[in-house]
Amino acid sequence: VNAISSSYRVQYDVRPAKQVERRMLVDALQRLAAAGFPISDYQYTGFSAIYFVDFILFHKILGLSKLVSLEQDVDLTTRMQFNKPFSCIEVKMVSASSEIPNLSRDLRHLVWLDYDGVLQKDFLSDIQSAITILPPGSILLVTVDVEPPEDYDYAIIDPAFNSSKEVLGPKHWKNYFEHHASQYLKLGLSEADFGKSELILRSTEILRAAFTKSIVTRPELQFLPMFNFAYKDSHSMLTMGGMIGGRAEKRNLRTSSVGDAVYYRADFESAPFEIKVPRLTRKERMYLDREMPCPDGWKPGEFDLEPDDVRHYRDIYRFLPAYVEISL
Amino acid sequence: MRYASAEVRKQFFIDMFTRDISLEDCVLDLIDNSLDSYLLKHATSISKLVFGPDGNANGDELGKIDVICTERQIKVADTCGGILRRRAMEQVFCFGHDTDDQVGKLGAYGVGMKRALFKIGNNFHIVSRTAQEGFEVSFKLDEWAKKKEWNIPITFIDGAGSERKAGTSITVTDLHEEVALRIKEGGVPKNILNDASTTYPYFLGQCVKLRINDNDVNPTPIKLGELTGVLRAAREKFEQRGVKVTLAATVAPGQRTTEEAGWYVLCNGRVVVRADRTNLTGWGTELASFQPKYRSFVGIASFESDDPLRLPWTTTKRDLNRESAVFIRARALMASMSKPILTFLNSQYASDPTVEVADIRDAVGGVTEISFKDIAEKPTTGFLYTPLKKKEKKSEWVRFQADVSSLAQVRRHLRRPNMGAGEIGKFVLSHYVKTECGE
């Protein structure tokens, strides 16, 4: 686990792609609620850091009121408490691995293991724990960083590594992933399979294997894929998730409109939904919004914009926040 | 159509079948049969033995099992109820259970007794009496092996006359050379005693009294711990295909040796795997590899079924079948239950010993014993450590590395060449407080 909590590293509330992802999740959960999933009774367990952005959305928009935020860094205890926006949020200064076995078996859960680091063993065992105990109808989301492991990540698996003499590359990254997830990787991978741009694929495969492997222990249930997001604010990130469900949940999920959403992924084999946020001015956005949702091939008349940007904008405009400066 | 021969050869059973089991476990197989007779006769429930306040709530008289193990004979004699003639004629000597056989709780495969006999010696004498009827079987293995038939001569005898005396006695003499050799070498009776004591903690004293060469075998209980308000054991329960699974993991009470630490797996109350610290129970794969700092870890996984074939044990009842679906599910739960406990135990050894670390050590040291039943009764939950409310700190550790030359300087200055480093530290601190801080 990285020594530095993301509370220190990232200004949580101004990451547009991340925010789009959150709003898409809210959208999906609204669609599930409409299909009869009692979403507002779900317990949400996540890592809010000191910003609680997801907690605010889930409480205000979806009405979830059983909310638990986990934080491992005890030095943040008072700041977590101070920043807690609602009384119905319980802050627990423990790791996910300690808390997951304590989750009530009588509630449905939304659990978002929103890690800010590169995949490691502990994440995989948390996934296994969650899938082993969460009641049917519960939703599990997992986010990992898919940039190459950093020097400090690598030093943990190879204490002899000297960052002043050696630069990390695919050979090291392969070692890293084999150390943390050998049982989850397919056979016959070479160093080239661990090049920088391949790491998102490897992470996807590992997470997919973790979901499948863990649900095997509950023969009456399946892990039903729902989300596979790739996005980048500063680091490239991957979020995968789905529902733990039996026949009833599977049927319910099929009848819900979530399957029509552009970001929905009913399997992990197809490409992830890439959240791409085109760089646009406020004026441009206002202009584009009037035409949204636009037909395929539509182009703005008054300025030039790449067709890809138009397409990406069409996918996300409903979910994209606008940031303004305010004087407090 | 032509047919190739695919028949069973007697010699295979005699030679091959006996290789994968230890002499001690063979004797335990015979003890299992005695226990099974008792359980059947008294309709004793395994749940009551493992979780009951008193497994023998009906006040049934304890069965007696006497084991004699010398270089001349191995004998297991019990007063556990005896075997019905009908079962002797149709079932007991067959290899494997028939579908309509009355199944016991500990005899899963219908091979234990036969394998034990073949393993141990050449000359068998079996006498069994219920209150009403009895039978006797004597045969020599070498002579039986030569015959083509698979049957065994049996003589009917009178019953024991009373339920108290009803029972079975199995005597093997003319021991195989290597068996006699091992017994001569010493240690076998002691091993049987130790194994029985750790294998049957839920049976000994609750339904039977077991003696090995006239020594009482006392149960070695599996001790679980909690500390009220501070440490709570993890517990899980589920039922899958007729198998009831109960799991508990926690910190054990008292001083622990590494040999006692790990997972204990019960199948119908019998300890099949004891203090496991291998990847069978997740160590080194889902969990960290075992290290002595985890020696206070203890977990029990109990599998219970009316049909022992559904339980995940192997035929030797000393290992688990990893392909068992019910075990695969249990194993995943066992890993997620254990992990927080290992993290907790690990935190006792933080490189920077703070007050929190001292609290954790106190909690581990203060754990008191709690029964498996008391844990299993409560709702499913994970392991929980709640530090006691902070007491006003009266003292705190001060530890640092000091230059040898500075220490020598103080010693010279005080003219106390033998003054220890710790003493110097205390002296210097109190001196500073007195001379610099005032009241």
Side-chain angles (χ1 to χ4, degrees):
Chain A
V1 179
N2 304 338
I4 310 160
S5 163
S6 56
S7 288
Y8 302 115
R9 296 199 309 189
V10 208
Q11 186 72 21
Y12 254 18
D13 39 4
V14 289
R15 292 189 291 166
K18 179 81 187 171
Q19 187 63 10
V20 168
E21 176 186 55
R22 291 191 194 106
R23 313 268 334 199
M24 285 177 167
L25 291 172
V26 167
D27 185 71
L29 293 166
Q30 281 172 326
R31 289 169 187 253
L32 292 181
F37 288 97
I39 294 294
S40 59
D41 295 334
Y42 276 46
Q43 173 177 316
Y44 176 55
T45 304
F47 309 153
S48 68
I50 54 175
Y51 302 102
F52 292 92
V53 184
D54 41 347
F55 284 71
I56 295 170
L57 281 178
F58 292 162
H59 180 57
K60 284 196 172 171
I61 302 180
L62 298 169
L64 271 73
S65 55
K66 290 185 266 299
L67 304 159
V68 178
S69 176
L70 308 178
E71 173 58 59
Q72 283 199 79
D73 183 351
V74 288
D75 292 342
L76 284 171
T77 311
T78 53
R79 291 186 72 188
M80 291 291 290
Q81 288 297 345
F82 180 78
N83 288 297
K84 196 177 94 170
F86 311 112
S87 70
C88 56
I89 299 176
E90 191 185 351
V91 169
K92 291 193 169 181
M93 303 306 292
V94 294
S95 65
S97 70
S98 296
E99 185 54 18
I100 291 167
N102 281 319
L103 295 176
S104 164
R105 314 303 157 84
D106 304 324
L107 289 175
R108 292 178 177 206
H109 293 266
L110 169 61
V111 176
W112 190 353
L113 304 173
D114 191 0
Y115 304 111
D116 51 20
V118 180
L119 247 169
Q120 51 164 289
K121 261 185 198 169
D122 286 350
F123 301 176
L124 298 169
S125 63
D126 288 348
I127 295 171
Q128 173 161 32
S129 282
I131 293 187
T132 310
I133 66 116
L134 290 177
S138 300
I139 296 168
L140 175 68
L141 302 165
V142 182
T143 302
V144 293
D145 188 329
V146 291
E147 298 287 336
E150 306 264 5
D151 289 357
Y152 54 76
D153 295 318
Y154 193 73
I156 295 170
I157 72 152
D158 181 8
F161 172 70
N162 183 342
S163 59
S164 59
K165 289 193 182 142
E166 219 176 335
V167 177
L168 293 181
K171 180 181 83 177
H172 303 91
W173 300 331
K174 180 167 186 274
N175 284 347
Y176 177 89
F177 281 96
E178 275 173 353
H179 173 87
H180 283 289
S182 69
Q183 288 190 53
Y184 298 82
L185 285 166
K186 57 184 184 189
L187 291 175
L189 292 170
S190 66
E191 279 176 22
D193 294 314
F194 290 86
K196 187 170 189 261
S197 62
E198 297 289 311
L199 295 180
I200 183 164
L201 275 177
R202 298 291 87 78
S203 299
T204 307
E205 286 162 4
I206 292 168
L207 289 180
R208 188 175 66 204
F211 295 136
T212 332
K213 185 173 141 82
S214 310
I215 199 70
V216 163
T217 64
R218 303 170 78 176
E220 72 287 7
L221 299 177
Q222 276 179 283
F223 189 81
L224 308 164
M226 296 174 69
F227 307 109
N228 186 2
F229 292 111
Y231 60 94
K232 179 173 181 163
D233 287 304
S234 55
H235 278 209
S236 289
M237 306 294 287
L238 172 72
T239 298
M240 291 172 74
M243 185 183 282
I244 292 153
R247 277 194 196 155
E249 287 79 16
K250 196 173 176 180
R251 210 172 31 239
N252 239 355
L253 198 58
R254 267 206 211 120
T255 59
S256 91
S257 68
V258 72
D260 309 331
V262 62
Y263 52 77
Y264 188 74
R265 291 290 180 272
D267 63 72
F268 293 136
E269 279 75 34
S270 29
F273 178 79
E274 283 189 66
I275 302 172
K276 290 235 163 124
V277 182
R279 305 200 173 223
L280 299 166
T281 66
R282 195 157 55 96
K283 203 170 168 189
E284 286 165 349
R285 274 189 70 178
M286 284 165 69
Y287 176 90
L288 292 174
D289 278 355
R290 284 175 40 144
E291 304 295 331
M292 291 294 135
C294 64
D296 289 338
W298 177 84
K299 278 191 267 184
E302 298 193 22
F303 55 93
D304 289 329
L305 198 61
E306 290 295 322
D308 270 357
D309 282 344
V310 176
R311 209 164 34 78
H312 290 140
Y313 189 71
R314 187 178 64 177
D315 284 348
I316 63 159
Y317 74 96
R318 288 179 51 222
F319 310 103
L320 183 63
Y323 294 109
V324 291
E325 184 183 36
I326 51 168
S327 295
L328 287 169
Chain B
M1 176 70 76
R2 295 166 192 273
Y3 289 95
S5 168
E7 59 192 30
V8 187
R9 303 218 160 95
K10 273 186 181 172
Q11 206 58 40
F12 163 80
F13 278 94
I14 296 165
D15 297 337
M16 287 296 294
F17 189 53
T18 52
R19 300 242 162 164
D20 305 327
I21 187 166
S22 70
L23 177 58
E24 287 84 350
D25 281 333
C26 278
V27 176
L28 261 58
D29 254 335
L30 297 175
I31 298 173
D32 281 345
N33 284 346
S34 296
L35 279 167
D36 248 351
S37 290
Y38 184 93
L39 299 176
L40 213 59
K41 179 176 167 189
H42 297 276
T44 312
S45 120
I46 295 288
S47 285
K48 274 205 180 139
L49 289 173
V50 178
F51 303 111
D54 176 10
N56 189 355
N58 311 334
D60 293 325
E61 193 173 339
L62 297 188
K64 287 195 193 110
I65 306 174
D66 269 290
V67 177
I68 304 294
C69 171
T70 67
E71 56 196 78
R72 304 167 66 90
Q73 66 161 341
I74 289 183
K75 178 177 177 185
V76 177
D78 70 58
T79 61
C80 292
I83 302 165
L84 292 170
R85 277 180 190 168
R86 186 182 51 78
R87 285 201 68 231
M89 291 297 288
E90 295 166 9
Q91 307 287 356
V92 174
F93 297 98
C94 292
F95 291 87
H97 287 302
D98 202 355
T99 41
D100 57 354
D101 191 16
Q102 191 176 18
V103 277
K105 296 284 165 56
L106 300 180
Y109 299 97
V111 296
M113 178 184 77
K114 279 76 70 178
R115 179 164 57 186
L117 300 182
F118 293 172
K119 171 98 183 178
I120 296 167
N122 189 46
N123 204 352
F124 310 129
H125 184 64
I126 299 162
V127 183
S128 186
R129 292 186 178 92
T130 65
Q132 292 79 28
E133 55 178 37
F135 70 87
E136 196 172 350
V137 164
S138 277
F139 71 103
K140 285 190 189 310
L141 183 63
D142 50 2
E143 289 169 12
W144 180 78
K146 283 179 206 148
K147 287 195 221 156
K148 201 159 173 52
E149 298 77 33
W150 282 77
N151 52 23
I152 277 165
I154 185 167
T155 315
F156 288 170
I157 56 172
D158 287 342
S162 79
E163 292 291 347
R164 281 191 58 208
K165 288 186 193 155
T168 303
S169 132
I170 298 177
T171 314
V172 188
T173 49
D174 188 10
L175 303 192
H176 293 315
E177 208 181 321
E178 58 269 40
V179 171
L181 201 71
R182 263 212 69 201
I183 297 174
K184 256 188 228 164
E185 201 187 30
V188 174
K190 184 86 201 273
N191 291 346
I192 298 173
L193 189 138
N194 290 342
D195 288 353
S197 154
T198 53
T199 303
Y200 304 117
Y202 295 102
F203 299 95
L204 299 175
Q206 286 211 87
C207 57
V208 294
K209 274 183 75 169
L210 174 65
R211 290 156 64 84
I212 316 276
N213 289 356
D214 294 327
N215 293 289
D216 286 330
V217 182
N218 296 314
T220 305
I222 306 163
K223 287 187 183 159
L224 303 169
E226 278 198 347
L227 181 56
T228 315
V230 180
L231 276 188
R232 188 185 67 194
R235 34 190 156 255
E236 294 283 347
K237 265 180 247 180
F238 69 97
E239 211 166 325
Q240 189 167 312
R241 291 194 221 161
V243 182
K244 211 176 102 189
V245 183
T246 313
L247 309 170
T250 187
V251 175
Q255 283 295 315
R256 298 284 288 183
T257 61
T258 52
E259 287 71 30
E260 295 169 284
W263 276 99
Y264 292 73
V265 182
L266 318 181
C267 286
N268 275 352
R270 188 195 201 266
V271 179
V272 173
V273 166
R274 182 176 179 273
D276 185 78
R277 302 177 291 274
T278 70
N279 72 16
L280 179 69
T281 53
W283 294 93
T285 49
E286 283 80 356
L287 302 172
S289 295
F290 182 83
Q291 294 174 41
K293 63 186 173 187
Y294 300 134
R295 65 181 170 276
S296 290
F297 174 87
V298 61
I300 302 184
S302 161
F303 297 83
E304 221 183 299
S305 178
D306 287 335
D307 178 0
L309 273 178
R310 293 174 187 258
L311 298 172
W313 49 12
T314 60
T315 71
T316 59
K317 298 175 201 166
R318 269 291 165 249
D319 201 354
L320 297 168
N321 171 18
R322 290 197 186 212
E323 287 74 41
S324 147
V326 68
F327 178 61
I328 289 174
R329 170 145 174 72
R331 189 175 179 274
L333 281 167
M334 285 154 75
S336 70
M337 292 164 80
S338 310
K339 212 175 161 206
I341 303 174
L342 303 190
T343 309
F344 168 76
L345 290 172
N346 195 24
S347 61
Q348 291 180 92
Y349 303 95
S351 52
D352 172 27
T354 57
V355 185
E356 286 76 24
V357 171
D359 285 348
I360 291 169
R361 288 187 192 169
D362 286 350
V364 172
V367 158
T368 53
E369 192 174 344
I370 175 168
S371 70
F372 191 23
K373 167 193 163 246
D374 286 340
I375 293 179
E377 251 168 20
K378 292 182 212 152
T380 293
T381 174
F383 176 78
L384 192 69
Y385 167 61
T386 323
L388 281 176
K389 286 269 173 292
K390 290 275 171 301
K391 287 171 280 183
E392 186 69 30
K393 268 189 281 177
K394 286 264 162 60
S395 62
E396 204 171 336
W397 279 100
V398 182
R399 290 174 66 172
F400 60 95
Q401 290 280 316
D403 286 341
V404 173
S405 61
S406 314
L407 293 173
Q409 240 179 324
V410 178
R411 285 191 191 102
R412 263 201 310 279
H413 187 78
L414 293 172
R415 296 202 182 84
R416 290 180 57 187
N418 296 324
M419 200 173 187
E423 231 181 319
I424 295 176
K426 277 188 207 165
F427 178 84
V428 171
L429 179 70
S430 83
H431 178 75
Y432 185 88
V433 171
K434 259 189 266 172
T435 57
E436 299 293 334
C437 304
E439 281 307 308

